[in-house]
Amino acid sequence: GWLFWRLMACGRRSGDSKRQVILFILCVCVCQSGAETLRYSLAEEMEKDSFVANIAKDLGVSPSQLAARKARVVSEGNEQLFRLNQNTGVLTAKESLDREEICPQSDTCTLFFKIFFENPLQLIRGEVEVRDVNDNSPVFPEKEMVLEILETTSPGSRFPLESAQDKDVGSNGLQNYSLGSNSHFSLALGTGKGGAKYAELVLERQLDREEQRQLNLLLTATDGGSPPRSGTAQVRIVVLDANDNIPVFGREVYEVRLAENSPPKQLVVRVAAADPDEGSNGKVRYAFTQTSERSRQLFELNPATGEIRVAGNLDFEEAENHEMVVRATDGGGLSAHCKVQVEVLDVNDNAPEIALTSLTASIPEDAPPRTVVALFSVRDRDSGENGRTECAIDGDLPFSLTPTFDNYYELRTNAALDRERTAEYNITITAMDWGTTRLSSRESIFVQISDVNDNPPEFTQEIYTMSVTENNSAMLRIGSVNATDADAGKNARVNYALVRQEGKEQPDVSVNSENGDVYILRPLDYEEVRAFEVAV
């Protein structure tokens, strides 16, 4: 006869109540010190790896803590100018710093950086003022200036001279002009709108062409360094015969507003000076004077028509205003001057830039909402509404953005995660400015969800029925049971075992713990037992 028996599969199904599990959760949070800024100074032209500061000492932490928390320094902008030694806590300059190269045409030169710590994530702001040293002498645009002055010019008349340029700033910059001894001219000094010093020749005694046709003067520009540096230029005075009318400009100051990125050759303004004299004495030609080298590169002046046109790339982010002085000279050497002031208007020509500072590439699926995943900053070099930015996450994902400070954002979870439903996320962050024509940029962040053992094994059947012929051989395989687990890795690995029932004799059955194969341990007798149940 046949012996029938059944094996019951015992396990939790999805409808069963789940056990309560106590989880210890490690939350990553950004400790921000919004009010604390480390401030240092360093003289320019110091050697490579020059000492800036002892960060560990100033923050009151040991160098071992810097190494343990993976402290690092990040400079603003693309070039990293400083290096932090985690073993000593010393901040040094990676290269020799040239203030005139880093901060051209700026009275102060401050470099900003941030110190980042991990475990927990912490950000501290810092700044280094690069102090100017007197390493540049004043330089005139030309070694010789030629002034043609009518012999009938009245004493007290003034003649602007080309200004010297000194790349240094403050007391190391241009401070004074002096004129070599002579019997006809003195020197008057003045300060322009932007603080630049200029010099003018003042006629003290009337010229006489028949007595002296030409004078040579030595003009010296001196800075305020210790010791001071100087530069010189020759001023050649050519005495002209009488020409009784000087050119007269229609306006003393021409004010123009011009959009940045205006194309080359675009007309900026046309200056015009009238001279009622006849012939060459009434023919006027135009030239720049007391105008910076940078403005001369950006604008070109037609000497015959007085038209000023764009010659270079105007960039609002580089300079918002340009001032030029135009000299109109007639054929007799008489001249007049006017100012041209150009205000550069901002155009939305810079898209926001996203810089990823810190990223947790993998987070557990049981991480609570508000867990920090990444820290990044957004920067737009435009101004006003063109430089104002906003950030958003593309698509409907369980993540959100939280602004912190200084245009920094935290990427956080905002809902429970389930690795069995979604094992990884490709998060696209879009940063957009508020310009009339809105510009944007994108950054993709890839985050993996690590498995947590939150799913029990499930049998493919609730009841397995197997049969065996009596008088079977020992250790006979009569079938197998199978259970699966939705988790991954070792959390999904299933082991099988018989459930022992107290007070009952255990049947002569065994289950392979690895694959679920069921074995009869000894021969069975149909007349003795026809069926029995065991639980796995």
Side-chain angles (χ1 to χ4, degrees), residues 451-464:
D451 185 54
V452 172
N453 192 21
D454 57 351
N455 291 281
E458 294 185 359
F459 281 94
T460 57
Q461 300 174 221
E462 292 185 11
I463 298 176
Y464 292 81

Side-chain angles (χ1 to χ4, degrees), residues 177-347:
Y177 291 94
S178 60
L179 187 67
S181 177
N182 69 95
S183 59
H184 285 277
F185 294 94
S186 64
L187 198 64
L189 304 182
T191 302
K193 182 179 179 180
K197 292 180 172 55
Y198 62 87
E200 294 179 332
L201 277 182
V202 180
L203 183 61
E204 300 290 347
R205 186 168 71 88
Q206 190 163 353
L207 300 170
D208 186 351
R209 185 177 181 277
E210 285 67 39
E211 178 183 310
Q212 189 175 10
R213 295 188 176 189
Q214 185 171 294
L215 293 84
N216 291 299
L217 310 176
L218 182 66
L219 178 65
T220 302
T222 308
D223 65 22
S226 180
R229 289 173 174 261
S230 62
T232 61
Q234 289 288 333
V235 181
R236 183 158 58 95
I237 308 296
V238 178
V239 183
L240 303 177
D241 278 336
N243 174 22
D244 57 354
N245 288 289
I246 65 173
V248 177
F249 279 98
R251 281 183 275 175
E252 291 186 2
V253 178
Y254 291 81
E255 296 180 341
V256 184
R257 304 180 75 196
L258 190 65
E260 67 172 330
N261 299 332
S262 294
K265 302 300 181 181
Q266 178 175 324
L267 179 64
V268 178
V269 68
R270 183 180 183 273
V271 298
D275 191 319
D277 291 323
E278 293 183 355
S280 62
N281 288 334
K283 187 176 180 180
V284 176
R285 294 188 67 81
Y286 303 92
F288 283 132
T289 183
Q290 293 185 4
T291 301
S292 69
E293 183 65 26
R294 182 56 178 157
S295 294
R296 293 173 191 251
Q297 294 171 354
L298 295 174
F299 302 96
E300 61 183 9
L301 172 62
N302 187 311
T305 65
E307 291 181 344
I308 298 177
R309 295 182 179 272
V310 176
N313 182 28
L314 290 175
D315 190 350
F316 174 87
E317 287 72 39
E318 177 185 332
E320 299 180 19
N321 295 280
H322 297 276
E323 182 175 287
M324 296 161 280
V325 177
V326 178
R327 178 177 62 207
T329 306
D330 63 20
L334 296 181
S335 62
H337 302 80
C338 73
K339 289 184 178 180
V340 178
Q341 296 175 347
V342 179
E343 178 185 356
V344 182
L345 304 178
D346 185 39
V347 173

Side-chain angles (χ1 to χ4, degrees), residues 43-45 99-100 131-136 168-169 172:
E44 66 169 328
E45 305 295 350
R99 189 201 64 81
E100 288 77 24
R131 301 192 307 275
D132 183 52
V133 298
N134 192 23
D135 57 346
N136 292 281
D168 294 320
V169 298
N172 292 329

